[in-house]
Amino acid sequence: MIHKDLQMKHYLALILTLAMISIIIILLYRSLQKVRTTFIGAFTNGNVVVIDAGHGGMDGGATGISGLLEKDCTLTISKKLDLFMSFLGVPTVMTRTEDLSLDHQGGATIRKNKVSDLKARLRLAEETENAVFVSIHLNKFPQSQYRGAQVFYGPNNQNSELLAKSLQKCLITAIADGNTSIHKKATDDVYLMKKATCPAVTVECGFVSNPEEEVLLKDDGYQKKMVLAIAGGYLEYVNEST
Ligand SMILES: [Zn+2]
C-alpha cells in the first residue's frame, strides 16, 4: 500500500512537471512570436522584394573570360539573396528559380522570346503589391581592367535612387575592394528600369571581363558577402524611406 502511494505521488509529480514545462513552452513561444512579429514589421515596411535573376534559358547574358555564364551566376546569387531575406522575415518573390526564360514560346524568334521574357518580369513587378524590384546582373566591358559592383536605378519612382544609393554604399563597404563606383540612373535601353513604376534597381555584381573578379563571382563566400551587402543596403533603405 505504501509502495502504491509512493508510485501515485511519483506519477502526480511527473504529470505536474510535464504540465509546468508545457505552460513554460507555450508562454515562451507566444513571447517569441511577439518579438518575431515586431522584428519583421521593422524590416519589411510592407514591401515585397521582387528578386530578378537576370537572363536565363536561351538568354545566357554575358560570358566571362573563363566561361562563367551570367545567367547561372545571377540565379545562384538571387537564390542566396532570397534565402537570406526570408531569414530576416522580408517577403520576397523571385522572377525565376530555374534556368529558363519566362513566357517562352517554342518556334518564336530569339528576339520575340527575349521581349516576352522581359514583359513577364515587368508584369510580376507591377502585379506585386508594394514591390521593390531588385534585378541581379553581371557586367562586361571590352577592357579587362574594369571591376567592382555598381547599382543603377530606374527613373520612374523617387525611391529608386535612394535604394540604389544605400545598396552602392553597402556593396562598397562590405566587399571592401577599393571600388569607387557611384550609383547611376539606368540608361533608356534598359527595358525593366525604364518601365518599372515601383522602386527599381539593377545590381551589376561585378565584371566577368575582369579575370580576378570572374573567379570571385563564382566563389560561394564572395557571393554570400554580396548578398549580405544587398540585404544590408535594402534594410538601410527601408529605414530611411519611412
Ligand atoms: Zn545582364
Side-chain angles (χ1 to χ4, degrees), residues 87-98:
F87 170 75
L88 292 172
V90 176
T92 56
V93 173
M94 288 187 76
T95 56
R96 70 179 177 100
T97 54
E98 290 171 69

Side-chain angles (χ1 to χ4, degrees), residues 54-55 59-62 70-71 74 114 135-140 202-204:
H55 311 279
D59 173 18
E70 184 182 358
K71 66 169 182 175
T74 59
K114 177 76 186 157
S135 194
I136 305 292
H137 284 260
L138 302 183
N139 222 332
K140 187 172 181 174
T202 298
V203 181
E204 297 280 359

